[in-house]
Amino acid sequence: MKQYIETVLSGNNLTIEEMKKAAAQIFNPNTSAAAVGGFLTALRAKGEAVSEITGLAQVIRENAVTIQPQMEDLIDNCGTGGDYSQSFNISTTSAFVLAGAGLTVAKHGNRSITSKSGSADVLEQLGIELSATPEHITNALLNNKIAFLFAPHVHPMMKQVMTIRRGLAIPTIFNLIGPLTNPVNLKTQLLGIYRRDLLNTMAEVLHQLGRKRAVVINGAGYLDEASLAGENHCVLLDDGRLKPFTVHPEEVGLPVIENHRIKGGDAKRNAEILLSVLKGEQSVYRDVVLLNAGLGIFASGKVANVKDGVELAKESIDSGAALNSLNGLNKNSY
């Protein structure tokens, strides 16, 4: 590990292969916590490069539980978290809208880290099974167009670095890596990130990981998802090309709403909000889900622009298809 720490401390980026070797040391139980902490801190101070994020993501995926359904149109809409907005579970709610719109969603997520309720917390509140086997996950994707991949179950090796991360008490590369480690081979992705300076970096990482098309977004107010509060900054990855763009809610027929109005609560409260949206109730919660789902549909390439994506998201909810995708994601579908 020493050589990689020295390389990073000198201001040089590690190649993908070097980072993969460093990652092997991170997950080696014989590597000291001090060495791992020093490496992660040095990376944070230098700034994480595309090659370094890619290399770490590849190692985590290579060591994940194998889930490879024979499907070519899979999408995820996971965010990094870390914006401390205390918003309700927007991406989780949006995932069911995407499935209702005809996309196949491999929803990767975890319990709460920087909020009161993570995707796993709210889905558990709704009675969704978190400990599904790879076979069950594949069946859910085939039969219901959505499945939940609970990060601790599909990435057992991550457990050993959690103590080190908590001890550091600062954000590290691991705070960026979650949405990149879905073990399923995704074709497209909507990725939210709390750091606007890393939009291009994360889009390039998605390209390195094999995404054909994706949108990376940092919302107004620096949310890790699209916001109704103003201009959202995005990068479109399309067959290797990166194109920056912005989306304002008024441009897609949605109102401007301050971020504090989309705050959620605990898992029980957020489950109530999720259900209210999928049942078609008019609210600020519905509006922000429409924007995020619209972006996800656009990221998939199913529509030519975000506004059309928002319209398709409305159809998904108002037809009952989004709610049906939730109802299907239960123990019976597994």
Side-chain angles (χ1 to χ4, degrees):
M1 184 62 80
K2 182 180 178 182
Q3 62 178 311
Y4 302 120
I5 295 175
E6 290 178 345
T7 298
V8 172
L9 285 175
S10 67
N12 295 315
N13 298 331
L14 299 178
T15 66
I16 290 177
E17 289 307 313
E18 287 173 333
M19 186 63 194
K20 292 180 76 168
K21 292 177 181 178
Q25 292 300 313
I26 290 174
F27 295 113
N28 186 333
N30 295 320
T31 304
S32 71
V36 174
F39 177 69
L40 296 178
T41 303
L43 270 182
R44 169 68 190 276
K46 175 184 70 67
E48 300 87 350
V50 168
S51 55
E52 293 159 347
I53 300 171
T54 301
L56 179 57
Q58 287 179 344
V59 167
I60 294 172
R61 293 188 73 247
E62 288 166 2
N63 287 276
V65 172
T66 301
I67 305 171
Q68 296 301 343
Q70 300 303 307
M71 306 173 73
E72 297 183 353
D73 61 343
L74 293 164
I75 187 171
D76 189 10
N77 66 329
C78 182
T80 59
D83 62 15
Y84 297 97
S85 67
Q86 302 300 322
S87 59
F88 75 102
N89 298 95
I90 296 172
S91 66
T92 306
T93 310
S94 300
F96 294 108
V97 180
L98 296 179
L103 306 183
T104 305
V105 187
K107 180 71 176 114
H108 187 239
N110 207 337
R111 293 196 182 277
S112 171
I113 297 176
T114 60
S115 65
K116 293 181 180 179
S117 172
S119 56
D121 301 304
V122 74
L123 291 177
E124 189 175 55
Q125 182 70 33
L126 291 164
I128 305 302
E129 177 62 57
L130 300 184
S131 58
T133 66
E135 293 75 20
H136 291 155
I137 290 170
T138 298
N139 287 338
L141 290 171
L142 289 169
N143 299 326
N144 196 52
K145 302 194 78 67
I146 187 169
F148 182 67
L149 288 72
F150 185 37
H153 288 173
V154 297
H155 301 296
M157 68 185 295
M158 292 292 290
K159 184 177 180 180
Q160 66 191 65
V161 302
M162 286 304 298
T163 302
I164 298 172
R165 291 179 61 193
R166 291 192 186 102
L168 286 174
I170 60 170
T172 69
I173 191 171
F174 282 100
N175 293 80
L176 306 173
I177 212 75
L180 306 171
T181 60
N182 193 319
V184 172
N185 287 328
L186 303 171
K187 179 181 180 182
T188 59
Q189 188 162 354
L190 175 65
L191 190 161
I193 183 167
Y194 68 100
R195 287 179 56 184
R196 191 165 296 172
D197 61 310
L198 290 181
L199 282 171
N200 279 357
T201 296
M202 297 298 273
E204 181 58 38
V205 171
L206 289 176
H207 173 55
Q208 294 291 331
L209 293 175
R211 307 294 186 269
K212 299 303 181 185
R213 186 176 165 97
V215 170
V216 183
I217 182 165
N218 175 259
Y222 295 91
L223 269 61
D224 74 325
E225 49 213 346
S227 162
L228 296 170
E231 196 168 66
N232 297 277
H233 292 253
C234 311
V235 172
L236 170 67
L237 165 68
D238 187 10
D239 199 20
R241 298 182 297 274
L242 303 186
K243 179 183 178 181
F245 69 100
T246 59
V247 177
H248 192 280
E250 291 179 333
E251 297 171 351
V252 295
L254 294 171
V256 175
I257 296 169
E258 295 180 2
N259 285 333
H260 71 85
R261 294 183 60 194
I262 58 170
K263 283 187 177 181
D266 59 13
K268 183 175 184 296
R269 173 56 183 152
N270 285 3
E272 292 170 351
I273 295 173
L274 184 153
L275 284 172
S276 74
V277 172
L278 298 190
K279 289 179 178 178
E281 294 181 20
Q282 300 291 327
S283 67
V284 295
Y285 304 120
R286 170 189 165 100
D287 290 334
V288 75
V289 166
L290 288 175
L291 179 56
N292 281 272
L295 273 160
I297 295 168
F298 171 67
S300 76
K302 191 178 180 74
V303 294
N305 54 64
V306 179
K307 188 172 184 179
D308 287 348
V310 170
E311 292 304 312
L312 195 54
K314 290 179 182 177
E315 292 178 22
S316 173
I317 294 173
D318 295 340
S319 68
L323 183 60
N324 286 341
S325 70
L326 169 62
N327 292 335
L329 188 62
N330 53 39
K331 293 181 180 179
N332 292 328
S333 71
Y334 289 133

